[in-house]
Amino acid sequence: MKRRIVMAILAAGAIGGYAMGFHGACHRHHDRRAAFERHVAEVCVDAARRTDQKGASPRQE
């Protein structure tokens, strides 16, 4: 009887641990993607500012 209770607690802990791990990984994915998008926007803005400072006219097509 005691052994079954211990096994049930350990199994519940393992399932809960995996669930928390997947949940955390999902949230980190969204945070990493948002950080990458901010980085790309910053690079684009910096490139546009450098172009404006050099006085180069934008290409017209």
Side-chain angles (χ1 to χ4, degrees):
M1 178 77 170
K2 187 176 180 181
R3 185 175 178 189
R4 286 186 182 179
I5 293 172
V6 170
M7 287 176 58
I9 291 172
L10 289 174
I15 292 170
Y18 276 105
M20 291 289 289
F22 287 125
H23 178 74
C26 181
H27 281 285
R28 281 188 292 276
H29 166 74
H30 295 297
D31 292 340
R32 270 186 270 131
R33 184 179 181 105
F36 177 73
E37 289 175 359
R38 283 191 303 270
H39 171 71
V40 169
E42 184 178 325
V43 168
C44 291
V45 169
D46 289 344
R49 286 182 181 158
R50 278 193 307 258
T51 302
D52 287 344
Q53 287 175 353
K54 290 181 182 178
S57 61
R59 289 189 289 174
Q60 296 180 2
E61 296 178 15

